[in-house]
Amino acid sequence: MQRRCFAAIDATDSNWTRPIRQIAALPYRTAGTATDATVRVMLVTSRGTGRWVIPKGNIDAGMAPHAAAAGEAEEEAGVCGAVCPTRLGSYRYRKRRSNGASLMVDVDVFPLAVTRELDSWKEQEQRERRWFSLAEAAAAVDEPDLRDLIRSFATAEFTAAARRTTMLGTVAERSKVGSMFAWFQRLLPKTGNFFEMFEAHARTIVAAADATARMLEGGAAAPDHIREIIEREHDADEITRNVLQTVRKTFLTPFDRAAITSLIGAMDDTVDEMQAAAQAIDLYDVTDISPEMKDMAAIIVDAARVASEAMPLLRDVARNGERLHELTERLVRMESHADEIHAAGLKRSLQEHGTSDTLRFVIDREIYKHLERIVDAFEDVADEIDGIVIDHS
């Protein structure tokens, strides 16, 4: 899809040649942690025309864009959750004002993983809210750019296209040799169930990332979330061991053996670092979670979702190479954004505690280090996927 980037300005900016900028949230939830789980997004009706839109508004002075988007989602749709500071994309529309003017507006969109739906909210009497499938939501909105952005969020047709069970099965389908090829295939050594194991590991990553975000919300339930993260890490280790054992026993592999072991290793590193962060929070009894830590947790949640979407696409790299590249580019952007948040968080902690409470600064630095390593590991996953795409597309 075509993406636009413009310098951020307020609606009152005297430079009238630039479009007005707004922010919006794309509230989403998934039905379970499966890599092909159905993704649904929430739309709300506009107050003036009753059209289906996503929660959006102007950027408040002094507020980070993603935080402002989360505020609009709570006010307009009555939903809360982890909002990723890295924008998903942007779209453009014309806003009609009461004086008759129709002005161009550019809207930056931030994914929001919904964890709570409020029973009552500020604009409850003014709007309707509803969950849609991605296809339904894309059809319901009027703006072409927004329609494309929603479709690109977790494209179902790519997952369906990826369900080519094996490399040999793909050859059989394309060559039309049918049952004769199937007979020949049964004579060959087993090719292993690497794709199933990659996808199972991705499900574990998603669950661990969700638990990490809940842990960093603080509160009395944090010990339970820490325990879940540790349990998920054990599950991930078991899958990783199975992959490594299967590599040694398998004659035919879908990718180079080094690529398989490197990919599962990078995936496992994401969960290992989540466990390290959880153990540090438990050890130091951290209860005061900074906004930057919560922002990094939101990036981790979205990075896990993106990595999970990529796994089924590896079943047919040649067909899905372009989409895989889009997903890995997003992971790289998130890692870069996380570095900025990490630096800002450390600077805040140093200014607030560097001289008055040195131990607190040291603890904060330790937590930030682990959160940064989680996102770094997701970038490593992106690099491994890119390597596979280059070799097989």
Side-chain angles (χ1 to χ4, degrees):
M1 61 172 284
Q2 184 180 9
R3 302 185 186 276
R4 302 181 174 89
C5 180
F6 297 86
I9 63 169
D10 185 78
T12 58
D13 197 307
S14 59
N15 188 346
W16 51 266
T17 62
R18 299 180 181 180
I20 301 167
R21 288 215 78 89
Q22 289 186 329
I23 43 79
L26 182 64
Y28 74 92
R29 66 183 182 190
T30 56
T33 58
T35 53
D36 58 351
T38 301
V39 177
R40 301 185 71 82
V41 297
M42 177 176 282
L43 302 182
V44 297
T45 53
S46 64
R47 285 182 296 188
T49 62
R51 297 183 300 108
W52 288 108
V53 297
I54 57 177
K56 66 179 186 299
N58 296 322
I59 304 175
D60 295 334
M63 181 176 288
H66 68 286
E72 295 295 335
E74 183 172 348
E75 288 186 6
E76 297 184 7
V79 292
C80 304
V83 58
C84 181
T86 305
R87 70 186 187 120
L88 177 64
S90 63
Y91 71 97
R92 173 175 285 188
Y93 78 103
R94 284 199 172 275
K95 181 178 180 65
R96 183 168 294 280
R97 293 189 164 177
S98 57
N99 60 11
S102 181
L103 303 181
M104 191 66 73
V105 180
D106 282 338
V107 186
D108 289 334
V109 181
F110 298 87
L112 187 146
V114 175
T115 57
R116 186 159 53 102
E117 292 185 50
L118 305 179
D119 294 328
S120 60
W121 62 98
K122 183 175 180 180
E123 298 186 9
Q124 181 175 8
E125 303 301 323
Q126 304 170 46
R127 301 179 187 270
E128 179 185 352
R129 69 179 182 184
R130 184 186 304 173
W131 288 103
F132 292 80
S133 70
L134 294 176
E136 292 168 344
V141 299
D142 289 345
E143 298 82 3
D145 286 352
L146 177 58
R147 188 178 303 127
D148 289 342
L149 189 148
I150 291 172
R151 285 173 177 157
S152 75
F153 186 60
T155 315
E157 53 265 32
F158 279 100
T159 301
R163 294 295 178 184
R164 305 287 191 265
T165 54
T166 64
M167 178 179 65
L168 293 175
T170 302
V171 174
E173 180 183 350
R174 292 177 179 175
S175 60
K176 307 297 182 184
V177 297
S179 59
M180 187 176 198
F181 190 91
W183 168 81
F184 172 70
Q185 185 176 349
R186 286 195 294 272
L187 298 180
L188 294 174
K190 292 185 180 298
T191 58
N193 57 338
F194 295 106
F195 297 121
E196 288 82 356
M197 289 188 284
F198 287 150
E199 292 164 23
H201 201 293
R203 291 194 293 271
T204 306
I205 291 173
V206 169
D210 289 343
T212 299
R214 294 194 300 271
M215 173 186 69
L216 289 172
E217 289 176 358
D224 286 342
H225 303 319
I226 292 172
R227 182 183 183 90
E228 180 181 355
I229 294 166
I230 293 171
E231 291 174 351
R232 299 292 187 181
E233 192 276 337
H234 293 162
D235 293 342
D237 280 348
E238 183 64 28
I239 297 169
T240 300
R241 281 192 292 271
N242 289 337
V243 171
L244 298 179
Q245 290 171 1
T246 306
V247 165
R248 291 195 296 269
K249 297 176 182 178
T250 303
F251 181 75
L252 294 175
T253 57
F255 312 125
D256 182 82
R257 295 171 192 274
I260 292 174
T261 57
S262 295
L263 175 58
I264 198 65
M267 293 173 67
D268 202 50
D269 287 345
T270 65
V271 191
D272 288 345
E273 291 298 341
M274 291 181 209
Q275 176 181 263
Q279 290 173 330
I281 286 175
D282 183 44
L283 174 64
Y284 299 122
D285 195 22
V286 177
T287 56
D288 186 8
I289 309 298
S290 71
E292 288 83 4
M293 290 178 185
K294 293 181 179 180
D295 286 348
M296 292 186 75
I299 286 181
I300 290 165
V301 169
D302 203 40
R305 178 191 63 80
V306 171
S308 178
E309 184 187 344
M311 289 306 111
L313 306 186
L314 293 175
R315 292 173 179 264
D316 191 346
V317 175
R319 184 182 184 117
N320 301 317
E322 183 177 354
R323 178 59 174 172
L324 283 166
H325 184 61
E326 290 176 0
L327 296 176
T328 57
E329 276 192 333
R330 178 158 175 77
L331 288 173
V332 171
R333 288 199 305 272
M334 284 190 276
E335 191 278 335
S336 178
H337 198 167
D339 283 347
E340 297 173 6
I341 296 170
H342 170 247
L346 274 182
K347 185 174 182 179
R348 177 206 289 266
S349 182
L350 180 61
Q351 291 172 341
E352 294 180 353
H353 311 295
T355 56
S356 60
D357 190 350
T358 305
L359 179 60
R360 169 65 185 276
F361 170 70
V362 170
I363 292 172
D364 282 354
R365 185 175 61 183
E366 179 77 5
I367 304 302
Y368 278 119
K369 177 187 72 175
H370 290 299
L371 294 176
E372 182 186 32
R373 286 179 175 176
I374 297 170
V375 188
D376 287 345
F378 278 112
E379 184 182 31
D380 291 340
V381 172
D383 291 341
E384 296 300 334
I385 293 172
D386 278 338
I388 292 172
V389 172
I390 291 171
D391 289 341
H392 295 274
S393 63

